[in-house]
Amino acid sequence: MNRLNHLARIMTLSALLAASGLTITSCSSATVAHGDSSATNANSRFETLYQAEWAWRQNKSTSDENTDDNYASSSLPDVSIAAQQQRLARWQSTLDTLDSIDVSALSEANQVNYAVYRLQIETLIADQQFKTYEKPLLGDTAFWSNLAYQARKTFRHEQDFDNYLAWLQDMPRYFDQQIANMRLGLARQFTLPEISLQGRDASVISVVNAKGKDNLYFQPFTKIPASISSAKHAELKARAQAVIAEYVIPAHQRLLTFLQEQYIPNAQPSIAGYDLPDGKAYYQAQIKKYTTLALTAEEIHQIGLAEVAKIRQRMHDVMKEVSFDGNLQDFLTFLRTDEQFYVDTPQALLDRAAWTAKEFDGVADDWFGHLPRKRFAIIPVPDDIAPFYTAGRGGPGVYLVNTYDLPSRPLYSLPALTLHESAPGHAFQMPLSLENNAIPEFRRQSYISAFGEGWALYSELLGEEMGLYHTPYEIFGMLSYQMWRAARLVVDTGIHAKGWSRQQAQDFMKANTALSVHEITTEVDRYIAWPGQALSYYLGQMAIVEHRAAAEKALGADFDIRHFHDMILQMGSVPLAVLEQRVERFIAEGGPSPYQE
């Protein structure tokens, strides 16, 4: 699909603002001149609005997910029905105020902020209207397993340990509210499909069965700094064991009983998003949420089929290069079964992932002018979630590598996985956003899947140019991962909008990717449980690739790949229409480094 045909389907920045009937324009000097009361008023109103709402949102919504490694929250969020209704009212009021702001009077920077912020608010409203809080678990995460991040933190101050103990004591209230919401979802069959819930109680069981110092929530107390007295050490550890026994384990036991006796046995039997309450509208809202595009399920399905065919041709080219005698299915079987592509120990897999990550460090300066300060650790996926967890996941400070079932973790795919999840993918892009004080906090700390996943998938492609794939098999591993994400466009829409069975989706993945059977099973189950999210990757990458090609053609010898990448990453995380306009500006200005502005 050529750039014009594809981008014709992408929402323009103006379309993001269609609800207000306004058009984005560059501000003239007259518009932004000092003394222009209209511009001053518009900018002031908008900045006051988003700053107040963001502060309120942080206080209300995210104390269960704070990612500051050295900070402890003292409570968990209020997720009660009353609180959900308050959220909806606040965001609807915010949208009403956004409608009343003259966008054309905003500064150029605030026009971009407005487009990003408006999409955030519209998405939040849609989630409340569809009551997604009644289904607080997704493909391989859940509200209870998300809390485990807090247990991995290292606290430095006595007050943080006190806060953490208070946070643990708040678990019963928080779990009871979540269970109440899940009961409402269960009553209207707004749940994960029953097949997606098999084994999902394992992470709850692991907390229930671990007493005292063996419980994962005791971990911060094994790292009490020496600056705290030995007497206080003993006191904190004793309090922790008591709190775990009195609050943490009983909360998890009530959740476990609910899951095993009511929720899992009575969950939604269908795997299709269309079969959920108001399913067609719900799935379309998820498409908009994760892709930021105004595409229908059928349009995405057809894009996926076209891209699968293109990638398949290049796969055949690699087969010829290695002189393989057989068809694609024979080659995939060879890749899945030949011992040369697998390791025998978890540490060996971690070591190979670390090697690729360090190889990138050696060429980073050639491809990026600005690097994040935040480093990342490479750690295995925890045992209790590894059987149904994805192959890897990255973010600020961490690259998780799944070492479960080593015969399903091929080495030829590991370089692509590493580039996606660590650097220059998620563990690179996300810190750059968090460290960028030139954009508002609501952009620094927010994540738009089409942008973030699109960038991470583009990072896999970039690995070939960077010389980080050393064999034709590793190139094929990258192509298999490209195929995996293109196939997602077909499979996700097939499952949720076209009546595909679980087996049909698995068969399509087996026929077109080199993923192991285990990984195909867990991945398809993730798409079943998380409608729309899988669509964001390839559509996001397509946009970045097309924009880069346009910039290279327009700028010619003036094109600098470091400037292009820095420009993309300086944005934080934005809708694809906003990205398109930023690239157009980059071209018009001659392709400068954004850090010289």
Side-chain angles (χ1 to χ4, degrees):
M1 179 176 295
N2 64 42
R3 181 173 185 268
L4 290 177
N5 287 341
H6 176 62
L7 292 183
R9 292 183 171 90
I10 295 183
M11 289 190 300
T12 64
L13 192 55
S14 299
L16 285 171
L17 309 176
S20 60
L22 298 170
T23 302
I24 288 292
T25 59
S26 294
C27 292
S28 66
S29 57
T31 303
V32 298
H34 292 294
D36 188 328
S37 59
S38 176
T40 301
N41 180 60
N43 284 297
S44 177
R45 288 185 64 211
F46 173 57
E47 291 168 7
T48 298
L49 176 70
Y50 76 65
Q51 288 167 0
E53 185 279 327
W54 175 254
W56 175 87
R57 196 193 320 175
Q58 291 294 94
N59 181 55
K60 295 289 184 182
S61 305
T62 61
S63 57
D64 59 333
E65 298 174 354
N66 187 286
T67 57
D68 186 327
D69 290 339
N70 305 119
Y71 171 80
S73 300
S74 60
S75 65
L76 286 151
D78 182 355
V79 294
S80 66
I81 296 302
Q84 304 297 348
Q85 292 170 342
Q86 290 171 2
R87 289 183 174 90
L88 178 58
R90 176 66 183 251
W91 290 323
Q92 287 176 326
S93 174
T94 299
L95 186 60
D96 289 342
T97 304
L98 284 171
D99 287 341
S100 72
I101 293 173
D102 182 1
V103 180
S104 65
L106 294 173
S107 67
E108 187 173 339
N110 268 340
Q111 287 188 29
V112 173
N113 290 334
Y114 184 100
V116 178
Y117 185 68
R118 185 185 182 94
L119 187 65
Q120 279 191 19
I121 297 300
E122 289 176 342
T123 299
L124 289 167
I125 288 172
D127 278 346
Q128 293 303 112
Q129 289 173 333
F130 285 106
K131 301 180 180 179
T132 58
Y133 54 83
E134 292 181 356
K135 185 161 62 82
L137 59 167
L138 297 170
D140 49 19
T141 62
F143 77 84
W144 61 87
S145 59
N146 290 344
L147 301 184
Y149 184 90
Q150 308 296 320
R152 296 197 299 268
K153 290 183 175 182
T154 299
F155 302 129
R156 298 174 180 171
H157 306 291
E158 185 176 323
Q159 184 61 54
D160 286 315
F161 286 99
D162 288 336
N163 288 349
Y164 178 70
L165 287 166
W167 182 85
L168 294 176
Q169 289 176 280
D170 201 26
M171 272 191 186
R173 188 270 312 163
Y174 178 66
F175 276 40
D176 288 347
Q177 288 181 347
Q178 293 282 23
I179 291 170
N181 290 338
M182 293 170 72
R183 288 186 192 279
L184 294 173
L186 186 62
R188 64 188 185 100
Q189 284 290 279
F190 187 68
T191 71
L192 260 63
E194 184 179 2
I195 189 65
S196 302
L197 290 167
Q198 304 309 308
R200 295 299 298 276
D201 54 354
S203 56
V204 186
I205 293 171
S206 68
V207 175
V208 169
N209 290 342
K211 311 301 180 184
K213 296 179 181 180
D214 294 329
N215 194 284
L216 75 91
Y217 288 102
F218 187 82
Q219 289 181 18
F221 299 94
T222 65
K223 302 173 287 186
I224 302 175
S227 58
I228 297 177
S229 70
S230 57
K232 191 64 178 180
H233 274 225
E235 178 193 333
L236 287 171
K237 290 179 178 179
R239 287 171 59 195
Q241 292 188 63
V243 166
I244 288 169
E246 186 175 352
Y247 297 92
V248 174
I249 291 177
H252 282 77
Q253 181 61 66
R254 287 198 298 278
L255 173 64
L256 182 62
T257 300
F258 170 68
L259 289 173
Q260 292 180 337
E261 296 182 3
Q262 298 177 51
Y263 195 76
I264 295 174
N266 297 296
Q268 168 69 254
S270 171
I271 65 172
Y274 270 22
D275 289 339
L276 292 170
D278 199 12
K280 291 184 178 181
Y282 169 73
Y283 186 53
Q284 189 61 48
Q286 298 308 295
I287 290 175
K288 170 75 173 296
K289 174 180 180 177
Y290 289 113
T291 73
T292 75
L293 305 178
L295 295 174
T296 66
E298 184 59 33
E299 286 175 322
I300 294 172
H301 193 81
Q302 294 305 317
I303 291 171
L305 289 172
E307 292 301 311
V308 164
K310 286 165 54 178
I311 299 168
R312 180 185 281 262
Q313 181 55 53
R314 190 157 180 225
M315 286 180 159
H316 283 292
D317 293 341
V318 174
M319 291 167 58
K320 292 178 182 178
E321 184 179 354
V322 298
S323 302
F324 184 81
D325 185 17
N327 60 28
L328 178 59
Q329 294 310 305
D330 295 333
F331 191 60
L332 295 177
T333 299
F334 163 67
L335 292 174
R336 289 175 181 141
T337 57
D338 196 287
E339 292 182 358
Q340 68 177 299
F341 301 122
Y342 299 89
V343 295
D344 296 326
T345 66
Q347 189 59 51
L349 192 69
L350 295 169
D351 291 347
R352 290 291 290 269
W355 179 264
T356 297
K358 290 307 295 180
E359 279 195 299
F360 167 75
D361 285 350
V363 300
D365 285 350
D366 296 331
W367 298 89
F368 299 89
H370 187 77
L371 306 178
R373 294 187 62 189
K374 183 78 171 179
R375 305 295 89 193
F376 60 88
I378 300 176
I379 61 176
V381 173
D383 292 341
D384 57 355
I385 61 174
F388 53 83
Y389 204 75
T390 191
R393 187 158 291 169
V398 65
Y399 167 29
L400 286 161
V401 177
N402 200 333
T403 59
Y404 173 82
D405 190 22
L406 290 173
S408 69
R409 313 297 173 192
L411 296 178
Y412 54 78
S413 296
L414 191 59
L417 176 69
T418 300
L419 294 172
H420 183 112
E421 302 295 349
S422 65
H426 291 318
F428 188 94
Q429 180 265 321
M430 290 182 185
L432 281 172
S433 179
L434 291 168
E435 295 165 13
N436 185 2
N437 292 325
I439 58 176
E441 189 176 358
F442 77 82
R443 286 176 58 185
R444 291 200 302 273
Q445 297 197 30
S446 297
Y447 185 78
I448 294 176
S449 193
F451 183 96
E453 299 298 347
W455 170 263
L457 187 53
Y458 169 78
S459 296
E460 297 178 23
L461 272 184
L462 195 61
E464 186 171 9
E465 294 181 75
M466 292 188 294
L468 300 183
Y469 301 123
H470 303 299
T471 69
Y473 298 112
E474 290 182 346
I475 292 290
F476 194 92
M478 180 271 292
L479 291 173
S480 178
Y481 268 30
Q482 292 287 308
M483 180 68 89
W484 172 21
R485 280 40 171 263
R488 285 176 172 181
L489 303 182
V490 180
V491 169
D492 194 281
T493 52
I495 290 169
H496 294 296
K498 298 176 73 68
W500 280 29
S501 68
R502 181 172 179 251
Q503 187 63 53
Q504 188 175 356
Q506 291 175 352
D507 289 344
F508 188 87
M509 299 289 283
K510 289 174 186 176
N512 290 289
T513 77
L515 297 177
S516 67
V517 173
H518 170 80
E519 199 164 13
I520 286 171
T521 302
T522 59
E523 285 299 314
V524 168
D525 286 350
R526 182 161 76 100
Y527 313 149
I528 289 170
W530 202 352
Q533 192 271 346
L535 306 176
S536 58
Y537 298 67
Y538 203 85
L539 294 174
Q541 177 189 258
M542 285 180 73
I544 295 172
V545 168
E546 290 163 354
H547 295 328
R548 175 177 163 180
E552 288 176 325
K553 181 178 180 180
L555 296 172
D558 291 330
F559 179 82
D560 188 320
I561 190 63
R562 295 170 301 172
H563 295 174
F564 178 80
H565 289 154
D566 288 350
M567 175 270 297
I568 296 285
L569 295 175
Q570 192 195 41
M571 301 190 73
S573 188
V574 299
L576 296 184
V578 176
L579 171 62
E580 180 182 9
Q581 289 218 343
R582 178 64 181 91
V583 174
E584 290 173 351
R585 185 178 132 212
F586 175 77
I587 293 171
E589 293 173 347
S593 166
Y595 293 98
Q596 296 172 355
E597 298 175 348

